[in-house]
Amino acid sequence: MEATNEVKPIIKVAAICGSLREGSYHRGLIRAAIQLSQESVKGIEIEYIEIDQLPLLNTDLEGQGTFPPEVEDFRQKIKEADSVLFASPEYNFSLAAPLKNAIDWASRPPNAWANKAAAIISTGGSGGGERAQYHLRQVGVFLDIHFINKPLFCLNAFEPPAKFDKDGNLVNAETKDRLKEVLLALHEFTLRIQGRLQES
């Protein structure tokens, strides 16, 4: 019997970072996820979506079913994605304001988040951003975002050995393996949500 190489269906993932800081570890996590998708996680295409250009939510900026151009572009990219990868820092026991602002803009009718599969990755102090993840999951309930439950990715960035280099790039091999497991789970869950998963 000849061996065959299984071809995995491709999903398009919109990656969003809740921190606007250039050297953010969360940006580093997304860069690492993109690299993994190109090297070892088949079936995933990740596009990093900027949110720093979005104005503060103000419905006075909306027209008759229209939005400011930068908001329209953002909303369209979310609509075109099969799933979303949130890199969410924790600020004051919750998610960051820029991320919440982006979520709110894309939630304006028609809700661009509806029925998207999603995963959250966080890093920070001892909790690794777990409280921000909890709040983000609550927001997702109303918006019909379907988060993977496991694996949970809450990384203590300051616990030895070093996880990031001076430029915010993820360098720890064990953490990269954990991130890979998140991407694999997101791929499978997205296909399941879409009804495209082929049962063996």
Side-chain angles (χ1 to χ4, degrees), residues 162-181:
K163 308 300 190 300
F164 299 89
D165 65 17
K166 61 181 179 62
D167 297 317
N169 297 306
L170 184 64
V171 295
N172 182 263
E174 181 180 351
T175 304
K176 288 182 179 181
D177 287 340
R178 288 180 56 194
L179 183 56
K180 180 178 178 179
E181 291 302 314

Side-chain angles (χ1 to χ4, degrees), residues 41-167:
V41 182
K42 304 303 181 184
I44 288 185
E45 295 178 355
I46 302 176
E47 180 183 3
Y48 176 53
I49 310 297
E50 292 279 5
I51 62 172
D52 59 352
Q53 78 284 5
L54 298 175
L56 289 177
L57 182 70
N58 180 355
T59 55
D60 286 343
L61 299 178
E62 298 179 25
Q64 294 294 325
T66 63
F67 301 90
E70 57 271 32
V71 174
E72 288 277 13
D73 290 344
F74 175 72
R75 287 173 54 87
Q76 187 60 35
K77 289 179 179 179
I78 299 303
K79 290 178 183 178
E80 292 172 354
D82 296 302
S83 56
V84 184
L85 179 65
F86 292 98
S88 176
E90 181 179 312
Y91 292 166
N92 300 321
F93 279 25
S94 189
L95 60 157
L99 179 57
K100 183 59 165 61
N101 185 60
I103 291 172
D104 290 344
W105 267 123
S107 75
R108 297 294 298 157
N111 175 20
W113 305 108
N115 297 315
K116 301 288 186 186
I120 315 171
I121 51 177
S122 297
T123 186
S126 59
E130 59 186 14
R131 286 168 292 228
Q133 290 204 17
Y134 179 66
H135 278 189
L136 182 50
R137 288 174 182 274
Q138 287 181 304
V139 173
V141 170
F142 183 75
L143 299 180
D144 292 325
I145 302 173
H146 306 292
F147 288 103
I148 63 170
N149 291 323
K150 295 177 181 177
L152 186 67
F153 190 101
C154 298
L155 177 67
N156 186 334
F158 309 106
E159 182 180 54
K163 308 300 190 300
F164 299 89
D165 65 17
K166 61 181 179 62
D167 297 317

Side-chain angles (χ1 to χ4, degrees), residues 9-25:
I10 294 176
I11 65 168
K12 295 182 178 180
V13 179
I16 301 172
C17 180
S19 173
L20 304 185
R21 191 170 63 86
E22 284 296 329
S24 166
Y25 288 162

